[in-house]
Amino acid sequence: MSAGTEQATKPIGELIIEHVANSDVIVQLSIGGFDLSITKHVIMLWIAAGLLVTVAMISTRRYRRGDITAPRGFVNFLETIVAWVRSAIVIPNVGAGHATTYAPLLLTFFFLIVTMNFLGLIPIFSYINHGHGGTTATGNINLTAALAIITFFAIIVAGVKEHGFFGHWKNIVPGGIPWPVMFILVPIEIMGMFVRPFALTMRLAANMTAGHVAMLAIFAPIFMLHNVYVGVGSVVMNVGITFLEMIVCVVQAYVFTLLSAVFIGMSIHPHH
Amino acid sequence: MENLMRFDTGLMFWTWVTFLVVLVILGTKAWKPMMNALEKREAFIKDSLAQANEARLEAERVAKAYDEMVAKARREAQEIVAAGKTTAEKLKADILDEAKAKADALLVQAGRQIDSERDKAIAEIRNQIVDLSLFAAAKVIGKAVSKEDNERLINETLQEIGQS
């Protein structure tokens, strides 16, 4: 990191933000006026996706062969997570009848987010472009917003598939209430439709960024005080925070997946 | 802060593309086969448990039937032995009775024969006594007595003999 030389010219808060933010454009790309430039977070997203696809495809060879016996080792571990997502997230929310339809989507959410989260914990990506710090792709609201928009459409598709196009929109407002209440309720429900994915976006991005901000803030006194004992203290504290972050990585992936499942489930089984 | 909240269409676009690619690849090639296997295994375990339970019930039923059969066979064997004993005893009694009856008959017959032989012998002795008497008397008298005297004398003698 080049923080030491910049320290004199920039306030520490700004440096921390720079370290958790996305890099500048690495490959300039624009199609039809849309900026599709490749940045550090795009590369991290691709690394995570490539890693996930590779590991998952190698691990699931036995299933494609039609082997139904219980696996051992890593595949068993992976299968335990898949079975847990299916039985603890998918089935209780969307129902056993729709589990096969929505489980792949929710499993992909969970595994892709958890892979990106953990990738953000590995501080080697500071070497991709411009010497910026070890950021997390899921700490970027653009990425989490894109994921939340997928959830947003999944909610609508699930409702329309189950109740028909008009049935779904009617379900947004609970029945059996006096009509004047509709004037309050309809805007609230329409707002809720957008607030849910927005909350998903902010929750994941903020949580994944917060850990890095905390770690950088704990490292900052080393550069401010130039004292080796402060360094020892900072490192010890950050080792602890890293372990905490590992929990956060799993929990936030779980929360995003769970809430997506809950919203899809609410769309399939509306309130009465 | 403006760095963190910067709107970035590139990242959004690539997130969608990447997510959909990962979803399609893993959805069809990894998650579906894996969940199929999980469901099949669940069904297999459920079936196996049901089968094991059925087999246990069947085994219990068979064991019960076997026990019943053994008990029945034992009862039958006992009956056969008892019947055999009765038959043997009856046979024994019959044989004994028959033997006794035969022996009795033989005894009676033998007695009768002895009686008849004795009577015959006595008659013969009687005749010989008559002849001897006549012969002796003729010798003693030196002449033959008349037939009437003869007869009277013999009968008197015989009576004496018979009385003695």
Side-chain angles (χ1 to χ4, degrees), chain A residues 62-176:
Chain A
R62 64 199 316 284
Y63 302 102
R64 286 190 293 278
R65 280 200 308 264
D67 187 355
I68 65 158
T69 55
R72 308 168 126 259
F74 178 76
V75 184
N76 192 303
F77 171 70
L78 191 72
E79 192 195 273
T80 308
I81 299 172
V82 171
W84 167 73
V85 170
R86 175 171 160 263
S87 65
I89 298 177
V90 183
I91 291 175
N93 290 300
V94 305
H98 297 82
T100 346
T101 316
Y102 297 104
L105 175 78
L106 294 163
L107 279 166
T108 309
F109 267 140
F110 181 79
F111 278 99
L112 196 62
I113 292 170
V114 95
T115 311
M116 286 192 284
N117 288 355
F118 274 105
L119 215 59
L121 280 188
I122 304 167
I124 56 167
F125 297 99
S126 44
Y127 294 106
I128 299 176
N129 195 37
H130 296 277
H132 278 301
T135 93
T136 313
T138 38
N140 190 317
I141 51 157
N142 292 288
L143 191 147
T144 56
L147 292 178
I149 288 166
I150 293 169
T151 300
F152 175 80
F153 284 112
I155 294 166
I156 295 170
V157 168
V160 170
K161 246 177 102 172
E162 186 69 15
H163 305 287
F165 186 76
F166 293 105
H168 171 66
W169 299 112
K170 259 194 283 176
N171 281 334
I172 286 179
V173 181

Side-chain angles (χ1 to χ4, degrees), chain A residues 5 16 84 88 104 124 141 148 167 212 230 260:
Chain A
T5 52
I16 288 173
W84 167 73
I124 56 167
I141 51 157
H212 284 258
V230 173
S260 295

Side-chain angles (χ1 to χ4, degrees), chain A residues 18-103:
Chain A
E18 245 175 43
H19 277 68
V20 293
N22 200 352
S23 71
D24 295 333
V25 170
I26 294 171
V27 179
Q28 186 76 48
L29 199 69
S30 180
I31 297 170
F34 280 102
D35 174 35
L36 303 179
S37 299
I38 291 156
T39 52
K40 188 195 281 185
H41 285 165
V42 175
I43 291 170
M44 289 178 80
L45 166 73
W46 286 346
I47 291 170
L51 198 70
L52 175 63
V53 168
T54 309
V55 170
M57 290 304 283
I58 289 170
S59 303
T60 53
R61 264 183 313 187
R62 64 199 316 284
Y63 302 102
R64 286 190 293 278
R65 280 200 308 264
D67 187 355
I68 65 158
T69 55
R72 308 168 126 259
F74 178 76
V75 184
N76 192 303
F77 171 70
L78 191 72
E79 192 195 273
T80 308
I81 299 172
V82 171
W84 167 73
V85 170
R86 175 171 160 263
S87 65
I89 298 177
V90 183
I91 291 175
N93 290 300
V94 305
H98 297 82
T100 346
T101 316
Y102 297 104

Side-chain angles (χ1 to χ4, degrees), chain A residues 20 22-23 29 35-36 42 45-46 49 52 56-57 60 63-64 68-71 78-79 82 86 100 103-105 107-109 111-112 140-143 145-147 149-150 202, chain B residues 1-42 44:
Chain A
V20 293
N22 200 352
S23 71
L29 199 69
D35 174 35
L36 303 179
V42 175
L45 166 73
W46 286 346
L52 175 63
M57 290 304 283
T60 53
Y63 302 102
R64 286 190 293 278
I68 65 158
T69 55
L78 191 72
E79 192 195 273
V82 171
R86 175 171 160 263
T100 346
L105 175 78
L107 279 166
T108 309
F109 267 140
F111 278 99
L112 196 62
N140 190 317
I141 51 157
N142 292 288
L143 191 147
L147 292 178
I149 288 166
I150 293 169
M202 294 316 282
Chain B
M1 272 314 259
E2 68 279 359
N3 252 349
L4 281 185
M5 303 305 253
R6 194 176 61 198
F7 188 59
D8 182 352
T9 46
L11 183 57
M12 284 185 109
F13 173 79
W14 291 120
T15 304
W16 285 325
V17 170
T18 312
F19 185 87
L20 290 178
V21 168
V22 172
L23 176 64
V24 168
I25 294 174
L26 293 189
T28 54
K29 298 283 176 193
W31 309 140
K32 275 260 159 73
M34 202 176 199
M35 283 191 300
N36 280 344
L38 279 173
E39 269 162 30
K40 273 186 199 155
R41 196 187 308 150
E42 271 169 22
F44 174 74

